[in-house]
Amino acid sequence: MVENWRPTEAFEALADGRDWDGGRVYADLLSRAPVALMQGKGGGNNMWGIFSAAEIERAATDHATFSNVTVPEGAPRILPLMVDPPEHTGYRRVINKFFMPGPIKAMEEKMRPVAVDLIDGMIARGTADFSQEYAYQLSMRTLCSFLRVKEDWSIYNDWSREMEEATGAGTVGAGKDLPQELVMRVFPYIQGLIAERRANPSDDVISGFVTEEVNGQKLDDFTITQLVMAIILAGKSTAASGMGNIVLRLAREPEIQQFLRENPDRIPDAVEEGLRLESPQQEMPRKATRDVEVAGVTIRKGESVFLNYGSANLDPARWEDPGKFILDRPRRQHFAFGRGMHTCFGAPLGRMQMKMTLEELLKRTKSFELAGPIQRHTWPRLSVERLPLRFVPAG
């Protein structure tokens, strides 16, 4: 018998709760089925979810069967997310070098004063909404600095927020196309950046798109625009979500907060365990290229599939006590940034922002705690949209 699973209903009770117990929700599902039907069987094209770590590992590394080309031909795409090899390989070759340790370190040095200024402002006010007044601001301002845009960062921030609302908090490609009118709204700004780089190329990522070749060909303006869109859309909300999720956990668990304050060298470990336990992007869509059997369930050619990385990170078959925050957890290879060739290229930038945030927030406070009700997204993106905190300054 095929299991049916509805994420909105499954996570409804957790949407506004302070405690995220995704482990309980996913453990209940995994005890019944590693693969479940999420939509279909009379409601149109079947949409499947793969939930177990073992099956997701196999599917994520089998791009020949589970394709990332999830939008109709001719529709706007997010590059390189929505393409397969060999096209994908060429794009990643150009992109990856801008996310190496050197460029990320330089970006950290550039953005740390911004982070400090935002944190000091919140502490001075005594209470603040960490998500809206810090996390979303820092993530968008970091991306704009990374892309060296000249326009006000709020232009891209407002656009990306509308895109996420229009696509269901990031569920793009599995039965839901990119809204073309909204996509085109940001085109003039990005194409202005491209024209400037064509006239005066530098060492930044957009100049790299302008000057480099992908599979032997120069990129046109439309393709470069799609690549820049991918960096903005993938980078802003996931980084902000990662920061909000880990800070909420520390606000709820003052003993971990204080341990990290006294042992700042353990902050990178806390970042990794936070990403595993509360993965910002809970799923990513694929499309079956052939009939395939997964854990006894037949998925037909052309049907949509969600790889649920959030459940893989909480699978009891992979992790001991998966719902607990264990700083000394021996296994660190979580699924928060995906798996296989489509592992998130922006992961180093996201990790840097989380680490830098915890370093400066813990250094500048004696403690911080929740100061009111929170508001969450739970699926497909796990985030804290409203996170009121009360700060006690250090010293």
Side-chain angles (χ1 to χ4, degrees):
M1 180 178 175
V2 174
E3 182 73 23
N4 286 270
W5 190 72
R6 295 176 176 82
T8 302
E9 295 177 9
F11 289 117
E12 184 177 13
L14 305 181
D16 297 314
R18 296 186 176 193
D19 296 325
W20 165 249
D21 194 6
R24 176 180 56 79
V25 173
Y26 284 131
D28 178 62
L29 174 62
L30 286 165
S31 70
R32 302 192 304 273
V35 178
L37 185 67
M38 297 173 63
Q39 179 182 309
K41 297 296 185 185
N45 183 42
N46 286 344
M47 186 180 297
W48 299 92
I50 302 179
F51 297 94
S52 74
E55 295 297 347
I56 288 172
E57 188 112 54
R58 281 189 279 270
T61 54
D62 183 5
H63 61 85
T65 301
F66 296 97
S67 172
N68 270 61
V69 182
T70 55
V71 295
E73 186 175 353
R77 303 178 297 172
I78 297 176
L79 298 176
L81 182 64
M82 294 180 177
V83 294
D84 292 327
E87 187 179 5
H88 171 268
T89 308
Y91 290 127
R92 285 298 293 255
R93 181 188 62 80
V94 174
I95 292 172
N96 285 346
K97 65 182 180 181
F98 294 101
F99 292 89
M100 299 296 283
I104 297 301
K105 181 63 176 176
M107 186 54 53
E108 179 179 346
E109 292 172 356
K110 188 174 183 179
M111 295 310 299
R112 191 174 288 270
V114 177
V116 168
D117 184 61
L118 291 173
I119 290 170
D120 283 349
M122 292 190 297
I123 294 172
R125 292 190 294 278
T127 59
D129 183 336
F130 178 85
S131 291
Q132 296 300 317
E133 296 179 53
Y134 179 88
Y136 278 108
Q137 277 205 45
L138 184 73
S139 62
M140 193 70 253
R141 291 172 70 173
T142 299
L143 288 170
C144 286
S145 181
F146 183 73
L147 294 168
R148 299 186 191 175
V149 305
K150 290 186 175 180
E151 298 87 5
D152 186 345
W153 63 272
S154 64
I155 293 173
Y156 298 92
N157 188 62
D158 293 345
W159 171 78
S160 64
R161 184 183 64 249
E162 290 183 60
M163 280 288 290
E164 183 162 280
E165 291 171 354
T167 57
T171 311
V172 177
K176 187 173 289 190
D177 298 339
L178 290 170
Q180 190 160 359
E181 182 180 349
L182 187 52
V183 168
M184 297 303 295
R185 186 179 302 172
V186 80
F187 263 47
Y189 298 104
I190 298 176
Q191 290 182 334
L193 296 172
I194 297 169
E196 181 188 13
R197 300 310 199 279
R198 289 198 186 280
N200 301 290
S202 182
D203 60 350
D204 63 291
V205 63
I206 297 179
S207 294
F209 295 154
V210 167
T211 58
E212 295 276 353
E213 292 185 351
V214 172
N215 300 326
Q217 294 190 352
K218 292 285 190 182
L219 301 179
D220 59 33
D221 286 6
F222 182 74
T223 301
I224 296 173
T225 301
Q226 291 176 296
L227 288 164
V228 174
M229 284 172 50
I231 292 173
I232 295 171
L233 293 174
K236 178 214 170 183
S237 293
T238 50
S241 299
M243 288 184 274
N245 291 341
I246 189 68
V247 168
L248 171 59
R249 176 160 293 277
L250 297 189
R252 290 194 343 248
E253 301 191 32
E255 68 282 358
I256 299 176
Q257 180 186 142
Q258 189 57 33
F259 177 84
L260 294 175
R261 193 174 278 112
E262 295 170 357
N263 300 274
D265 60 305
R266 301 301 306 277
I267 287 174
D269 294 329
V271 166
E272 295 308 311
E273 182 66 348
L275 286 167
R276 180 197 67 82
L277 196 59
E278 295 159 328
S279 302
Q281 190 63 37
Q282 292 282 291
E283 57 75 26
M284 287 300 291
R286 299 288 190 269
K287 183 164 286 188
T289 63
R290 61 179 180 88
D291 290 358
V292 59
E293 185 174 298
V294 181
V297 173
T298 299
I299 298 173
R300 300 294 182 187
K301 178 180 179 180
E303 291 185 335
S304 298
V305 180
F306 284 117
L307 305 185
N308 284 265
Y309 294 126
S311 61
N313 278 336
L314 294 168
D315 186 347
R318 175 65 65 99
W319 312 93
E320 186 176 352
D321 291 326
K324 291 184 178 179
F325 188 97
I326 301 175
L327 200 58
D328 295 314
R329 188 176 292 279
R331 173 176 278 179
R332 293 292 186 194
Q333 291 184 320
H334 56 68
F335 294 76
F337 293 112
R339 197 59 116 238
M341 69 175 61
H342 281 282
T343 298
C344 177
F345 59 80
L349 193 63
R351 283 186 167 104
M352 178 275 286
Q353 292 175 80
M354 291 178 68
K355 179 183 76 72
M356 180 178 69
T357 293
L358 292 188
E359 287 172 348
E360 298 300 340
L361 181 60
L362 292 168
K363 183 193 306 181
R364 285 170 159 71
T365 57
K366 183 177 180 180
S367 66
F368 54 87
E369 63 183 7
L370 288 170
I374 68 167
Q375 179 184 336
R376 287 186 187 271
H377 278 312
T378 56
W379 197 95
R381 181 170 61 82
L382 176 61
S383 65
V384 190
E385 296 300 293
R386 300 288 176 184
L387 180 50
L389 295 180
R390 181 177 297 106
F391 304 93
V392 177

